[in-house]
Amino acid sequence: MPVPDNLPPLREVIAAFGLAPKKSLGQNFLFDLNLTARIARAAGAEAGGTFYEVGPGPGGLTRALLAEGADKVIAVERDVRCLAALEQVAAAYPGRLEVICADALALDEAAILPQGARIAANLPYNVGTALLIKWLTVPAWPPVWASLTLMFQKEVAQRITAQPDTEHYGRLSVLAQWRCTAKILFDVHRGAFVPPPNVTSAIVRLEPRAEPLAPCALADLETITAAAFGQRRKMLRQSLKPLGGEALLEKAGIAPTRRPEELSIPEFAALARSLARPT
């Protein structure tokens, strides 16, 4: 059962510290305690352990992670206005909340997180995809983190989890699912936020595979998918022409008339393995 923290309601905290959400920081605050508790449970907070949160703002999800049972939360917040509000949360949960004032895009999580830490966050919309790509492209795999439970705009969530031959399938789908299993857990209505965004959001959970879905070098996979989906309406013999075109496709056993959205992730990996690297 969640432990009461005796903290003031979030609306009062925001008013007291003058924390009007900043559009430039992609901030949309969550006030619904039932929703933040649901996200915390989806992230596995009841099992304890260390959690890493990016963009906690006034601490709505932070409170929920701690109340639901997280042993420790390491929260990274670049907005200095939010630090005093987060200090209140730290005082309510002595020794269990560490706040780092920094840009999460510039941090090396492997240097600050224990092995097996879980990442849970209502990511700022303006850096959400960039952060996910950063976490998916770390050199060492499996990574230090054990799972990602993240909120994105629903369209981004659909891109992460899309299957071949669907509208949203693309580079992000291939990269995410090559190294992780990924699924949408539930949608979050725009009315849950202050201010309400113009779009529906969704909670996505990703868990790292012990080994990528098919063998290939990450850099080669990124090169292939960039070229293929950069001209997604064209046949692969055209979009991959700068990388070898039909010869490359023949080497990988893929028909040159196919289009990128038709290829499975193992087929993209086969193309990556066939890519002739400069010497």
Side-chain angles (χ1 to χ4, degrees), residues 49-138:
T50 297
F51 286 78
Y52 178 65
E53 183 186 7
V54 174
L61 179 57
T62 316
R63 294 186 187 194
L65 289 167
L66 291 163
E68 293 293 334
D71 294 317
K72 184 174 183 179
V73 173
I74 300 172
V76 176
E77 177 57 67
R78 62 177 294 190
D79 186 354
V80 295
R81 301 176 308 148
C82 296
L83 299 183
L86 292 169
E87 286 174 7
Q88 281 191 339
V89 181
Y93 294 94
R96 294 172 60 194
L97 174 59
E98 177 184 348
V99 180
I100 300 171
C101 186
D103 181 350
L105 281 170
L107 284 179
D108 176 10
E109 281 85 9
I112 61 174
L113 297 180
Q115 189 69 37
R118 283 166 282 182
I119 300 178
N122 167 23
L123 293 176
Y125 283 155
N126 58 352
V127 294
T129 302
L131 282 166
L132 176 60
I133 291 173
K134 175 194 172 189
W135 295 329
L136 290 173
T137 56
V138 292

Side-chain angles (χ1 to χ4, degrees), residues 9-278:
L10 281 171
R11 289 184 187 275
E12 292 182 14
V13 171
I14 288 171
F17 293 104
L19 300 180
K22 282 189 175 182
K23 187 175 182 180
S24 63
L25 296 177
Q27 290 175 328
N28 299 87
F29 297 154
L30 284 173
F31 286 165
D32 187 333
L33 298 182
N34 290 326
L35 177 59
T36 53
R38 185 181 181 190
I39 297 169
R41 290 193 295 271
E46 292 168 306
T50 297
F51 286 78
Y52 178 65
E53 183 186 7
V54 174
L61 179 57
T62 316
R63 294 186 187 194
L65 289 167
L66 291 163
E68 293 293 334
D71 294 317
K72 184 174 183 179
V73 173
I74 300 172
V76 176
E77 177 57 67
R78 62 177 294 190
D79 186 354
V80 295
R81 301 176 308 148
C82 296
L83 299 183
L86 292 169
E87 286 174 7
Q88 281 191 339
V89 181
Y93 294 94
R96 294 172 60 194
L97 174 59
E98 177 184 348
V99 180
I100 300 171
C101 186
D103 181 350
L105 281 170
L107 284 179
D108 176 10
E109 281 85 9
I112 61 174
L113 297 180
Q115 189 69 37
R118 283 166 282 182
I119 300 178
N122 167 23
L123 293 176
Y125 283 155
N126 58 352
V127 294
T129 302
L131 282 166
L132 176 60
I133 291 173
K134 175 194 172 189
W135 295 329
L136 290 173
T137 56
V138 292
W141 200 267
V144 66
W145 48 267
S147 65
L148 306 172
T149 306
L150 307 171
M151 188 182 299
F152 295 97
Q153 295 180 41
K154 187 171 181 180
E155 182 180 350
V156 176
Q158 290 170 323
R159 285 166 50 206
I160 293 166
T161 58
Q163 297 300 302
D165 277 323
T166 62
E167 174 188 0
H168 295 284
Y169 187 66
R171 292 180 67 190
L172 189 58
S173 319
V174 174
L175 178 60
Q177 296 174 54
W178 177 63
R179 277 189 155 180
C180 295
T181 60
K183 63 180 178 179
I184 296 176
L185 300 184
F186 53 88
D187 290 349
V188 180
H189 189 268
R190 58 187 298 272
F193 299 90
V194 175
N198 295 324
V199 295
T200 298
S201 300
I203 301 295
V204 180
R205 183 173 176 86
L206 298 100
E207 296 182 357
R209 301 179 188 273
E211 297 287 343
L213 191 58
C216 70
L218 171 62
D220 292 341
L221 184 65
E222 291 183 306
T223 298
I224 288 289
T225 54
F229 287 106
Q231 302 181 67
R232 65 180 300 143
R233 296 182 184 276
K234 294 187 177 181
M235 293 180 185
L236 288 166
R237 66 185 176 195
Q238 180 63 32
S239 59
L240 296 183
K241 195 172 183 179
L243 301 178
E246 294 199 26
L248 176 71
L249 289 156
E250 183 179 0
K251 187 176 180 182
I254 294 170
T257 54
R258 294 179 70 188
R259 289 180 167 80
E261 67 270 17
E262 299 171 357
L263 266 60
S264 68
I265 295 170
E267 286 176 315
F268 274 113
L271 280 168
R273 291 194 301 273
S274 299
L275 182 64
R277 306 302 296 170

